[in-house]
């Protein structure tokens, strides 16, 4: 379901489960931890809730968006 895709998550996680599922990257969103550095086992990006919501709306509205899946662990 998510193998080879970029995963949009509703919160910050460690990325291990996403990496094991075969995703190529993750976009994590939340309203906290803006001044903290993290290490992830795959390419990752962190967004605030407002920007994450914009991406979520776009992905849900698009008819065909093969590279992003909304799935969180």
């Amino acid at each position: 379901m998510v193998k080879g895709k970029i995963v949009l998550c509703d919160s910050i996680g460690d990325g291990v489960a996403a990496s094991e599922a075969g995703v190529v990257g993750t976009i994590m969103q939340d309203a906290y931890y803006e001044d903290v550095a993290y290490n992830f086992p795959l390419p990752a990006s962190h967004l605030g809730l407002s920007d994450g919501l914009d991406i979520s709306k776009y992905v849900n509205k698009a008819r065909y968006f093969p590279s992003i899946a909304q799935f969180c662990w």
Side-chain angles (χ1 to χ4, degrees):
M1 179 176 153
V2 296
K3 187 173 182 176
K5 295 185 179 185
I6 297 170
V7 176
L8 177 62
C9 292
D10 290 333
S11 62
I12 292 180
D14 61 10
V16 173
S19 180
E20 290 175 352
V23 304
V24 296
T26 184
I27 301 170
M28 299 180 191
Q29 57 178 329
D30 74 10
Y32 307 105
Y33 310 116
E34 293 179 5
D35 294 338
V36 178
Y38 291 97
N39 267 335
F40 297 103
L42 67 161
S45 200
H46 173 251
L47 299 175
L49 291 178
S50 178
D51 293 329
L53 181 60
D54 289 343
I55 291 175
S56 180
K57 286 179 183 177
Y58 179 74
V59 170
N60 286 324
K61 189 172 25 172
R63 297 184 112 196
Y64 182 69
F65 212 108
S67 62
I68 294 182
Q70 285 189 276
F71 193 81
C72 296
W73 289 278

